[in-house]
Amino acid sequence: QVQLVESGGGLVQAGGSLRLSCAGSGRTFSNYAMGWFRQAPGKEREFVAALARSRRTDYADSVKGRFTISRDNAKNTVYLQMNSLKPEDTAVYYCAAEIGVSYYETGLSTSSYTYWGQGTQVTVSS
């Protein structure tokens, strides 16, 4: 089992950048496939980015070219670098993890993940 804690959210102007971090507990962090999701008020939680154990990545079309997911297994941490932020990126961002998936597999839906963080708020002003 892994526990996830997100940080790095905040208020930023449109066009700015933020880097979210997700710190995981446990010695087997490198065995987890990871993902970032977000949920805006009144909307369902949606996929943002995913990172396989192989470091293969997938992104939602709305963030391609602007967001980058990466991991540092030595620090048990996954990052989401967000550039060129837009007001429509405003949401609570959640980190997710799953174990037991294939080396190259990325999870693109909430049902792909068992473990979730508590979320961090990102607000982009226009």
Side-chain angles (χ1 to χ4, degrees), residues 8-29:
L11 174 64
V12 64
Q13 289 188 333
S17 298
L18 282 174
R19 187 177 79 158
L20 305 183
S21 299
C22 172
S25 62
R27 295 177 297 173
T28 60
F29 184 76

Side-chain angles (χ1 to χ4, degrees), residues 44-109:
E44 293 187 354
R45 193 169 299 188
E46 65 175 6
F47 168 73
V48 175
L51 180 62
R53 292 189 292 136
S54 65
R55 298 183 187 268
R56 173 179 174 267
T57 59
D58 275 307
Y59 296 94
D61 288 344
S62 59
V63 307
K64 279 181 182 176
R66 300 189 298 124
F67 290 11
T68 302
I69 186 172
S70 62
R71 69 192 302 161
D72 185 337
N73 288 332
K75 296 182 178 180
N76 282 9
T77 302
V78 171
Y79 303 99
L80 185 68
Q81 177 66 45
M82 306 186 295
N83 299 328
S84 302
L85 282 161
K86 305 175 181 180
E88 50 264 43
D89 294 319
T90 296
V92 177
Y93 282 71
Y94 297 90
C95 174
E98 185 58 59
I99 196 169
V101 298
S102 69
Y103 188 67
Y104 297 99
E105 183 176 345
T106 55
L108 307 185
S109 66

